[in-house]
Amino acid sequence: MKQKYSIAIIGNKEAILGFKALGLKTFNANTNEEAIELLYQLKAEKIMNEETKEERPAYAIIFITEELAMNIPKDDYKKISKGALPAIVPVPGSKGATGYGIKRIGKMVEQAVGSDIFKE
Amino acid sequence: MAKLDVKPTRMELLNLKKRVKGAVRGHKLLKDKQDGLMKTFMEIIQEAKSTRRTIEDKLSKAFKNFMQASAMMLPEMLESALLYPSAKVNLDVTTKNVMSCYIPYFKLEQEGDILNYGYAQTSNELDLALSAFQEVFPLMIKLAEIEKQAERLAEELETTRRRVNALEHKMIPDLKETVKFISMKLAENERAAVVSVMRIKAMIEEQAEQKA
C-alpha cells in the first residue's frame, strides 16, 4: 500500500505565496502564537486509510520560516517533532537566512556527540 | 563508587556475578550501536550542512525574484493569480532501520504546471520567480529528509550514549565492587571458621590431657 503525504508551509504572506503555486498547503501565520497553534493542528491532523483503516499523519513535512521557528519554545518543539513524522524544517523566509538553520544542525551535533565538533 | 546494599551470601554472589556478565555484554552491544549510529550520523550531518548552505543561498535568490515580481504587480492580481494552483505535490515516505532507529526517506512526486495563470495580467518576473522556487523545491525536500534523519539519530545517540556511560561508569564498577566485597567477606568467614575450629580442637585436647 502506497502512502501519500502532503507538505505544508507556515509563514507570513510573502513567504508562502510562492510555494502555493508549487502545490504546497500554505498556512499564514504572523505571530509566534499563531505558528505554534498551527503546528499543533497540523500534527494532529490525520488521514484515514480506506483499505486498512489505519490512521496516519496527513503531513510528512512542515516547512516553517526561520523567523517563526526560532521563537518556538523548546518544550513545544519537542512535543511537535516527536516521532518519525512530521519533519519540521525551518527554511529561510523572505527576509533571507538568519543562520538559525545552521545553528540547529550544530545543536543536533551537540546532542549526539556531547559537544559541537564542527564549530567554526 | 559505592557497593550495593546486599547481604554477603553465596547466593547473592552468584546472582551478582551473573549480573556483571550481563552488564558487560550489554555495554559492549550498546557501544557497538553507538559507533554504528555515530558513523551514519556523521555522514548525514555533513551532507545536511552543505545542503542547508545551498538552500539558504538559492532560496534567498528566489525570494528576491519573488519580491520583485510582487512589486511589479498589484497585490490583488498576484493573489488571484496564485489562488488556485494546478500543481500538486505528493510525498512518498519510506523508512529505513538504522541500528533500531527508524529514519524516514522522502520521495517527491509533482504533477501539474506551476505557471497556471493568465499571462496578460502577470509580469514576467513572476514566472521567473516561480521557476526559481520550483528549482529549489526538490532540494528543500532533500533537506527535510536529511535533517529529520539527523534529528532522529541525534536523539537515539543521546540516549545510547547515556546508557553506555551509565553502564560503564556506574553500574559495572558498582557490581564489581560488590562482588569483590562479598568474596572477601566469605573468605574472611571461612578463615574465621577454620581458626575457631582449631581453637576448639586445642581446648578439647587440653581438657583430655588434664583428665589423663
Side-chain angles (χ1 to χ4, degrees):
Chain A
M1 179 63 210
K2 272 209 160 178
Q3 295 193 319
K4 292 275 186 287
Y5 294 86
S6 306
I7 306 166
I9 181 162
I10 299 175
N12 59 10
K13 220 175 190 179
E14 296 94 60
I16 59 174
L17 255 180
F19 288 102
K20 195 167 184 178
L22 293 179
L24 274 74
K25 303 259 166 63
T26 55
F27 298 92
N28 187 9
N30 294 315
T31 62
N32 297 319
E33 289 79 31
E34 272 175 38
I36 291 168
E37 198 170 309
L38 268 171
L39 277 173
Y40 274 118
Q41 268 175 31
L42 294 182
K43 183 171 170 65
E45 211 165 297
K46 297 266 167 50
I47 291 181
M48 229 358 187
N49 191 326
E50 291 299 323
E51 283 167 46
T52 53
K53 298 282 176 224
E54 267 174 31
E55 263 194 340
R56 59 179 183 77
Y59 297 96
I61 308 177
I62 301 173
F63 291 109
I64 180 163
T65 53
E66 280 179 356
E67 292 98 67
L68 291 172
M70 63 205 302
N71 289 320
I72 298 176
K74 251 189 175 169
D75 296 349
D76 285 313
Y77 181 80
K78 250 191 190 158
K79 266 185 228 162
I80 294 162
S81 68
K82 223 170 96 188
L85 292 174
I88 316 283
V89 186
V91 290
S94 48
K95 292 194 190 85
T98 57
Y100 174 75
I102 291 287
K103 233 192 265 165
R104 186 164 166 266
I105 293 179
K107 262 189 200 144
M108 281 180 206
V109 176
E110 213 178 297
Q111 188 188 12
V113 187
S115 71
D116 190 354
I117 50 175
F118 293 123
K119 215 183 226 164
E120 282 124 46
Chain B
M1 269 200 284
K3 70 176 180 58
L4 305 175
D5 186 22
V6 289
K7 291 203 175 76
T9 59
R10 213 162 272 278
M11 207 161 100
E12 279 299 345
L13 184 66
L14 284 175
N15 272 341
L16 281 175
K17 275 188 176 164
K18 250 185 234 160
R19 277 179 68 190
V20 170
K21 248 189 194 168
V24 169
R25 207 175 127 79
H27 175 256
K28 192 190 166 294
L29 283 173
L30 278 174
K31 192 97 188 166
D32 287 351
K33 177 181 174 180
Q34 193 190 10
D35 288 348
L37 282 173
M38 193 58 91
K39 192 170 150 269
T40 327
F41 182 74
M42 282 304 155
E43 280 163 20
I44 287 175
I45 210 78
Q46 294 285 13
E47 208 181 339
K49 264 203 162 166
S50 59
T51 319
R52 163 78 56 191
R53 291 242 160 80
T54 343
I55 286 222
E56 280 180 356
D57 202 38
K58 282 196 174 171
L59 207 57
S60 50
K61 270 181 202 154
F63 270 120
K64 220 179 253 168
N65 278 349
F66 190 73
M67 283 306 197
Q68 270 175 358
S70 60
M72 304 280 271
M73 291 165 60
L74 290 172
E76 294 86 25
M77 287 292 187
L78 183 67
E79 245 175 87
S80 64
L82 301 173
L83 193 55
Y84 285 109
S86 73
K88 260 187 196 151
V89 284
N90 269 321
L91 209 58
D92 223 0
V93 180
T94 47
T95 51
K96 197 181 136 198
N97 188 349
V98 176
M99 300 277 151
S100 82
C101 173
Y102 286 93
I103 57 175
Y105 281 88
F106 299 138
K107 202 171 151 260
L108 182 68
E109 282 164 28
Q110 276 179 311
E111 44 187 279
D113 194 5
I114 49 161
L115 305 178
N116 173 45
Y117 42 77
Y119 294 129
Q121 291 162 336
T122 57
S123 65
N124 181 28
E125 277 83 4
L126 186 63
D127 303 358
L128 283 175
L130 286 185
S131 43
F133 275 130
Q134 169 83 334
E135 204 184 303
V136 263
F137 189 55
L139 254 180
M140 283 170 67
I141 302 292
K142 184 82 196 149
L143 179 76
E145 175 184 295
I146 297 171
E147 284 205 346
K148 187 71 192 176
Q149 288 174 356
E151 200 179 278
R152 300 274 299 158
L153 285 173
E155 254 171 57
E156 190 70 20
L157 261 171
E158 196 191 14
T159 48
T160 315
R161 188 163 45 95
R162 287 205 168 153
R163 279 181 197 152
V164 168
N165 282 346
L167 276 174
E168 191 176 334
H169 297 298
K170 179 93 184 100
M171 187 108 171
I172 294 176
D174 277 7
L175 284 172
K176 280 196 171 155
E177 200 182 307
T178 319
V179 166
K180 199 177 165 197
F181 162 74
I182 295 182
S183 48
M184 296 286 246
K185 193 94 181 167
L186 285 177
E188 175 72 17
N189 285 349
E190 215 168 290
R191 279 192 297 275
V194 169
V195 167
S196 60
V197 167
M198 280 164 76
R199 278 284 294 157
I200 292 167
K201 197 183 168 192
M203 273 161 72
I204 293 172
E205 273 172 1
E206 219 171 275
Q207 278 175 359
E209 238 168 66
Q210 273 175 5
K211 267 185 193 169

